[in-house]
Amino acid sequence: MAQFPLDAAHILALADAMIAGFKDNPTVFPSPPVSWSDLKTLRNAAADSLEGQTAAQAAAKAATERKNADFDALDDAMKDGISYAEFTATSPAELGLIGWGPRAEPTPLAVPGQPLVLEIVRQDADALELDWKKPRTGGKTAFYRAEMRTVNPAGEWTLKETATSTKIDLTGIPGGTQLEFRIVAENAAGRGIPSNTVTAVL
């Protein structure tokens, strides 16, 4: 079973075949619902519209490229002018004469927030895997500290490993001891609030 074409080129090709078939075979097709001449008129109109659309698309693409190039040139010139004005002006009021203002003061880096939902996702004889959620508040985290301490007797928190992602594998953990683990986010501004603690006996 034949399938009606979907693209313009094949539709026009089928129209040409129909026009020729109706025109050259009047005894086979004595009274088609549309005459070959009317079909030819419609075909030519469609072809003209396609040609016009193609030309318009090409013109639109060229106009967009021209606009982008013009704005790039304008941006570069304005940035050069702003750099000159920032070097030359002696006050914000003078920068205001060209519609500009002083540079904003850099925002101080804040310490990271608290890592969330720390949990043990895998535990072996002398190793375990910790997983947590990144802080929802505070400054950007540079890295995480995985800290460990004994429970009985209560020991000091010590650094076990560091990570840049929100999971870590800890190996070489002494067995037969109840241990607590926590995660602390850190950056150049300092350490954030420690996460919840988890307890394990390996």
Side-chain angles (χ1 to χ4, degrees):
M1 178 178 174
Q3 187 173 4
F4 194 84
L6 299 178
D7 62 282
H10 287 92
I11 291 174
L12 291 176
L14 178 58
D16 288 337
M18 290 179 66
I19 291 166
F22 286 161
K23 180 181 179 182
D24 297 339
N25 300 279
T27 56
V28 178
F29 306 108
S31 55
V34 57
S35 67
W36 68 264
S37 58
D38 288 343
L39 194 59
K40 184 175 182 179
T41 299
L42 294 171
R43 182 262 182 219
N44 290 341
D48 289 344
S49 296
L50 176 62
E51 183 177 351
Q53 181 195 43
T54 302
Q57 288 174 337
K61 181 180 179 181
T64 299
E65 292 174 349
R66 185 166 58 250
K67 181 266 294 181
N68 290 340
D70 289 344
F71 269 89
D72 287 343
L74 177 61
D75 289 352
D76 290 342
M78 291 175 66
K79 288 174 182 177
D80 288 344
I82 288 170
S83 297
Y84 163 78
E86 288 178 335
F87 179 77
T88 305
T90 59
S91 70
E94 290 180 349
L95 286 175
L97 296 174
I98 64 165
W100 196 244
R103 293 180 182 270
E105 292 294 327
T107 302
L109 179 65
V111 298
Q114 181 183 34
L116 305 172
V117 199
L118 173 64
E119 58 183 347
I120 299 172
V121 295
R122 180 180 54 81
Q123 183 172 327
D124 298 322
D126 64 346
L128 54 81
E129 181 181 359
L130 300 178
D131 181 272
W132 62 94
K133 305 297 182 185
K134 65 182 180 180
R136 294 179 181 172
T137 59
K140 184 177 180 180
T141 299
F143 62 92
Y144 296 96
R145 297 168 54 94
E147 297 181 343
M148 176 181 73
R149 73 174 180 181
T150 58
V151 176
N152 292 307
E156 296 292 327
W157 287 106
T158 59
L159 175 65
K160 179 60 178 172
E161 296 285 351
T162 62
T164 55
S165 65
T166 57
K167 63 174 53 182
I168 191 170
D169 288 313
L170 302 179
T171 59
I173 299 174
T177 305
Q178 190 175 22
L179 299 168
E180 282 187 325
F181 298 88
R182 71 182 185 181
I183 299 296
V184 181
E186 187 169 341
N187 62 19
R191 294 162 50 109
I193 299 172
S195 70
N196 61 292
T197 63
V198 292
T199 304
V201 178
L202 283 80

